[in-house]
Amino acid sequence: MATSDRVGLSLWTMQSTAARPGLWRALYRRLGEDAQLAERLGFHAVWLGEHRVWYDGWCPAPLQALAHVAGKTSTIHLGTAMFLVPQHDPVAAARSIATLDHLSGSRVELGTGLGYRDAEFDALGLRRDRRGRLMDAGLDMMEAVWRGDHGDPPPVRRPAPRIWMGGMADRAIARAAGRGYGLMLPQTLSVEEYRRIAGDYRGRAARPGPVGALREVWVSDDPATCARHRERVGLHLTEEAGSWWALKGRFGFEARDQVDRQVARGVGQIAAGSAEQVAAALREVLDAGVDYLALRPVFEFVEQAELHEQLHRIADEVVPLLESAGLQ
Amino acid sequence: MRFLLEHPAPRGLDDLVRSAQAAHAAGLDGVLVTEWRQLPGALVTAAAVAARVDEVLVAAEVELGARHPVEIAEEATVADLSSGGRLVLVARPAGSAPERYAESLDVIRHALAARPFRFEGRHWRVPANLPENVDQPEERVRVTPAPAQPRLEIWGAGEGRAVALERALGHLADAADDPAALARAFAAADASPASIGAPRGRRERWRSAADLLERLRQGRARFGQDWACVAAPAEAAPEIGSLVRPRIQLHRLTPGLEEFWDEQRPWERSRR
């Protein structure tokens, strides 16, 4: 497994926030440009998120956005982190994924997630409390479509595009292990948690797939710049958590102290610093049993020139240090 | 009259890109992609084609009625944004749920407008306000973001003709549709000021330039046809663009001009 198979980039969301408003059509153009640079620099994949019905216009249809990337690039993989299976018609989703698989030369990395916002489920007439069942039924149906049970031709990649289960809950690990999917862990975990969950997953899977982790990174030799980045990520996460999370019966901003604690915990996991410091932090994650890193320098408040500099520094300075440390 | 090229049987993205490039080079307005067996996700296909070929319109034909219309609206939005506002959504009633077509179309039209909405129909209820989803109940839903176009074009197709015309939407008729029936349907639409300028298209089979030109002249005379979606190989694009298209733009041409074109034969030049 070469580095180009083990290091991807995340997380494009095409958000136009109050903190950094953007023109959506320009954000989608930028996505294509960012992916072209990522491909030239040898990264494995670009990973896109999914949410819906929110003021910032978070991309609700990542397969269509990845089709744009597919048309603008030729080798980089096209990932979802995560495609919210319970919020999609599974037959249509399987067919769209097969279409992307076919059009892109089998570059799809399908990260799957449950989704958690009530408003998203309700907009689509779905019960959130059934999301687990919808997930299982949806995955079964998608696999059936790819198997040909509904008369479809097989995907180019047999038997199906590579699937990753997103999440860290016991049920997510059980699903990934039972179905032979990879596991994609969130960015908020400590090294010890990565080690425990990766071990648990490998112990339960007959044929374990790769264990991946989203990881926020920022490369700069200037401590003040790193501190500023942490602060901006913190504000970004505060808005998201304050608006969306349900915490012990209270909701987001109504439980500000809890939000602040969660955000501080997330910000504490950012690998920010010099190339050496970032590489050392990532190496700990890899040593804990993680096979794949979906590094996240991408936020809506990061300007494109700044992002492209980050991609260069990650590719030119951080990745070589991971390689010299034994990452093959 | 405007023109879309429809690939008869694409094997993959490269075939569609060649078709779109041929349309672009021939001065045709765009391409139509549909739900092909190997490429069943028309809005995925549309986004990929638009990423490879600039400036052409990409019309995507999807089945409407079975899937949740909010999901389709979101997919159309992202395809429109990533293409810089070049999507036309062509909606054909799903064979499995024709009774849901009209409501689905209305939900999509609400969803593509940049405002919160509530829809309570026989088949769809948005937001659903399911009693189980109690954490953050909403009275209205705003589908986000908005498309690039101020009004994303939605056309009916197939059996959805009456529904589309009632709503003053565009409509793409099938090649086999009875011209007399089309004439009656569109004559009724002519009575409504809301229908002025609503696109009237028809799929056309490619046999020859002369045959296509004759069909388009009849289509325009009988029902006001102003869009032609031609199922033809990329090699036919120069003839459609240089021979057919110029002759169908105006009510009439200067005497002698067609004969001049016939001597010059620019469609053969552009093919070389």
Side-chain angles (χ1 to χ4, degrees), chain A residues 97-112:
Chain A
I97 291 157
T99 302
L100 187 61
D101 167 73
H102 193 272
L103 291 175
S104 69
S106 277
R107 293 190 272 149
V108 179
E109 304 284 340
L110 185 71
T112 57

PDB file of all heavy atoms in Angstrom, chain A residues 97-112:
ATOM      1  N   ILE A  97     -24.488   5.698  -7.832  1.00  0.00           N
ATOM      2  CA  ILE A  97     -23.122   5.299  -7.472  1.00  0.00           C
ATOM      3  C   ILE A  97     -22.524   4.440  -8.584  1.00  0.00           C
ATOM      4  O   ILE A  97     -21.364   4.597  -8.951  1.00  0.00           O
ATOM      5  CB  ILE A  97     -23.135   4.563  -6.119  1.00  0.00           C
ATOM      6  CG1 ILE A  97     -23.488   5.559  -5.008  1.00  0.00           C
ATOM      7  CG2 ILE A  97     -21.787   3.898  -5.834  1.00  0.00           C
ATOM      8  CD1 ILE A  97     -24.060   4.925  -3.752  1.00  0.00           C
ATOM      9  N   ALA A  98     -23.336   3.550  -9.144  1.00  0.00           N
ATOM     10  CA  ALA A  98     -22.856   2.732 -10.259  1.00  0.00           C
ATOM     11  C   ALA A  98     -22.512   3.605 -11.461  1.00  0.00           C
ATOM     12  O   ALA A  98     -21.534   3.357 -12.179  1.00  0.00           O
ATOM     13  CB  ALA A  98     -23.911   1.689 -10.645  1.00  0.00           C
ATOM     14  N   THR A  99     -23.315   4.643 -11.662  1.00  0.00           N
ATOM     15  CA  THR A  99     -23.036   5.560 -12.762  1.00  0.00           C
ATOM     16  C   THR A  99     -21.700   6.265 -12.533  1.00  0.00           C
ATOM     17  O   THR A  99     -20.867   6.360 -13.447  1.00  0.00           O
ATOM     18  CB  THR A  99     -24.168   6.596 -12.881  1.00  0.00           C
ATOM     19  OG1 THR A  99     -25.407   5.912 -13.094  1.00  0.00           O
ATOM     20  CG2 THR A  99     -23.930   7.549 -14.041  1.00  0.00           C
ATOM     21  N   LEU A 100     -21.477   6.748 -11.308  1.00  0.00           N
ATOM     22  CA  LEU A 100     -20.221   7.421 -10.983  1.00  0.00           C
ATOM     23  C   LEU A 100     -19.045   6.451 -11.097  1.00  0.00           C
ATOM     24  O   LEU A 100     -17.976   6.808 -11.606  1.00  0.00           O
ATOM     25  CB  LEU A 100     -20.311   8.010  -9.570  1.00  0.00           C
ATOM     26  CG  LEU A 100     -19.156   8.892  -9.109  1.00  0.00           C
ATOM     27  CD1 LEU A 100     -19.000  10.112 -10.009  1.00  0.00           C
ATOM     28  CD2 LEU A 100     -19.372   9.334  -7.666  1.00  0.00           C
ATOM     29  N   ASP A 101     -19.248   5.245 -10.652  1.00  0.00           N
ATOM     30  CA  ASP A 101     -18.227   4.196 -10.758  1.00  0.00           C
ATOM     31  C   ASP A 101     -17.854   3.983 -12.226  1.00  0.00           C
ATOM     32  O   ASP A 101     -16.675   3.933 -12.596  1.00  0.00           O
ATOM     33  CB  ASP A 101     -18.792   2.906 -10.143  1.00  0.00           C
ATOM     34  CG  ASP A 101     -17.980   1.669 -10.460  1.00  0.00           C
ATOM     35  OD1 ASP A 101     -16.889   1.532  -9.897  1.00  0.00           O
ATOM     36  OD2 ASP A 101     -18.444   0.833 -11.268  1.00  0.00           O
ATOM     37  N   HIS A 102     -18.862   3.922 -13.063  1.00  0.00           N
ATOM     38  CA  HIS A 102     -18.645   3.672 -14.486  1.00  0.00           C
ATOM     39  C   HIS A 102     -17.970   4.868 -15.157  1.00  0.00           C
ATOM     40  O   HIS A 102     -17.003   4.731 -15.900  1.00  0.00           O
ATOM     41  CB  HIS A 102     -20.014   3.375 -15.121  1.00  0.00           C
ATOM     42  CG  HIS A 102     -19.932   2.793 -16.494  1.00  0.00           C
ATOM     43  ND1 HIS A 102     -19.876   3.570 -17.611  1.00  0.00           N
ATOM     44  CD2 HIS A 102     -19.895   1.521 -16.922  1.00  0.00           C
ATOM     45  CE1 HIS A 102     -19.812   2.799 -18.682  1.00  0.00           C
ATOM     46  NE2 HIS A 102     -19.838   1.544 -18.286  1.00  0.00           N
ATOM     47  N   LEU A 103     -18.482   6.069 -14.872  1.00  0.00           N
ATOM     48  CA  LEU A 103     -17.969   7.282 -15.535  1.00  0.00           C
ATOM     49  C   LEU A 103     -16.557   7.626 -15.102  1.00  0.00           C
ATOM     50  O   LEU A 103     -15.823   8.286 -15.840  1.00  0.00           O
ATOM     51  CB  LEU A 103     -18.858   8.481 -15.178  1.00  0.00           C
ATOM     52  CG  LEU A 103     -20.263   8.529 -15.730  1.00  0.00           C
ATOM     53  CD1 LEU A 103     -20.992   9.727 -15.152  1.00  0.00           C
ATOM     54  CD2 LEU A 103     -20.218   8.627 -17.237  1.00  0.00           C
ATOM     55  N   SER A 104     -16.196   7.263 -13.873  1.00  0.00           N
ATOM     56  CA  SER A 104     -14.936   7.729 -13.309  1.00  0.00           C
ATOM     57  C   SER A 104     -13.824   6.695 -13.434  1.00  0.00           C
ATOM     58  O   SER A 104     -12.699   6.956 -13.011  1.00  0.00           O
ATOM     59  CB  SER A 104     -15.128   8.067 -11.824  1.00  0.00           C
ATOM     60  OG  SER A 104     -15.358   6.888 -11.075  1.00  0.00           O
ATOM     61  N   GLY A 105     -14.127   5.526 -13.987  1.00  0.00           N
ATOM     62  CA  GLY A 105     -13.120   4.477 -13.994  1.00  0.00           C
ATOM     63  C   GLY A 105     -12.920   3.917 -12.598  1.00  0.00           C
ATOM     64  O   GLY A 105     -11.792   3.752 -12.142  1.00  0.00           O
ATOM     65  N   SER A 106     -14.006   3.663 -11.900  1.00  0.00           N
ATOM     66  CA  SER A 106     -13.974   2.983 -10.597  1.00  0.00           C
ATOM     67  C   SER A 106     -13.178   3.719  -9.538  1.00  0.00           C
ATOM     68  O   SER A 106     -12.319   3.137  -8.886  1.00  0.00           O
ATOM     69  CB  SER A 106     -13.369   1.585 -10.751  1.00  0.00           C
ATOM     70  OG  SER A 106     -14.344   0.710 -11.168  1.00  0.00           O
ATOM     71  N   ARG A 107     -13.473   4.982  -9.363  1.00  0.00           N
ATOM     72  CA  ARG A 107     -12.719   5.748  -8.373  1.00  0.00           C
ATOM     73  C   ARG A 107     -13.541   6.056  -7.121  1.00  0.00           C
ATOM     74  O   ARG A 107     -13.149   6.885  -6.314  1.00  0.00           O
ATOM     75  CB  ARG A 107     -12.243   7.055  -9.016  1.00  0.00           C
ATOM     76  CG  ARG A 107     -11.206   6.835 -10.109  1.00  0.00           C
ATOM     77  CD  ARG A 107     -10.588   8.142 -10.551  1.00  0.00           C
ATOM     78  NE  ARG A 107     -11.309   8.804 -11.621  1.00  0.00           N
ATOM     79  CZ  ARG A 107     -11.360  10.130 -11.782  1.00  0.00           C
ATOM     80  NH1 ARG A 107     -10.773  10.931 -10.910  1.00  0.00           N
ATOM     81  NH2 ARG A 107     -12.010  10.650 -12.802  1.00  0.00           N
ATOM     82  N   VAL A 108     -14.683   5.397  -6.976  1.00  0.00           N
ATOM     83  CA  VAL A 108     -15.583   5.747  -5.877  1.00  0.00           C
ATOM     84  C   VAL A 108     -15.126   5.131  -4.552  1.00  0.00           C
ATOM     85  O   VAL A 108     -14.789   3.941  -4.493  1.00  0.00           O
ATOM     86  CB  VAL A 108     -17.017   5.267  -6.183  1.00  0.00           C
ATOM     87  CG1 VAL A 108     -17.953   5.603  -5.029  1.00  0.00           C
ATOM     88  CG2 VAL A 108     -17.510   5.891  -7.480  1.00  0.00           C
ATOM     89  N   GLU A 109     -15.113   5.947  -3.500  1.00  0.00           N
ATOM     90  CA  GLU A 109     -14.908   5.475  -2.115  1.00  0.00           C
ATOM     91  C   GLU A 109     -16.161   5.902  -1.360  1.00  0.00           C
ATOM     92  O   GLU A 109     -16.325   7.068  -1.029  1.00  0.00           O
ATOM     93  CB  GLU A 109     -13.681   6.139  -1.487  1.00  0.00           C
ATOM     94  CG  GLU A 109     -12.384   5.957  -2.255  1.00  0.00           C
ATOM     95  CD  GLU A 109     -11.780   4.559  -2.102  1.00  0.00           C
ATOM     96  OE1 GLU A 109     -12.141   3.873  -1.134  1.00  0.00           O
ATOM     97  OE2 GLU A 109     -10.967   4.183  -2.964  1.00  0.00           O
ATOM     98  N   LEU A 110     -17.027   4.943  -1.107  1.00  0.00           N
ATOM     99  CA  LEU A 110     -18.322   5.301  -0.542  1.00  0.00           C
ATOM    100  C   LEU A 110     -18.306   5.204   0.977  1.00  0.00           C
ATOM    101  O   LEU A 110     -18.530   4.128   1.537  1.00  0.00           O
ATOM    102  CB  LEU A 110     -19.411   4.397  -1.128  1.00  0.00           C
ATOM    103  CG  LEU A 110     -20.834   4.764  -0.702  1.00  0.00           C
ATOM    104  CD1 LEU A 110     -21.267   6.071  -1.361  1.00  0.00           C
ATOM    105  CD2 LEU A 110     -21.807   3.645  -1.048  1.00  0.00           C
ATOM    106  N   GLY A 111     -18.049   6.329   1.614  1.00  0.00           N
ATOM    107  CA  GLY A 111     -18.213   6.385   3.069  1.00  0.00           C
ATOM    108  C   GLY A 111     -19.685   6.582   3.385  1.00  0.00           C
ATOM    109  O   GLY A 111     -20.348   7.415   2.773  1.00  0.00           O
ATOM    110  N   THR A 112     -20.202   5.797   4.321  1.00  0.00           N
ATOM    111  CA  THR A 112     -21.640   5.832   4.600  1.00  0.00           C
ATOM    112  C   THR A 112     -21.877   6.237   6.048  1.00  0.00           C
ATOM    113  O   THR A 112     -21.157   5.817   6.955  1.00  0.00           O
ATOM    114  CB  THR A 112     -22.272   4.454   4.352  1.00  0.00           C
ATOM    115  OG1 THR A 112     -21.599   3.490   5.166  1.00  0.00           O
ATOM    116  CG2 THR A 112     -22.145   4.047   2.902  1.00  0.00           C
TER     117      THR A 112
END
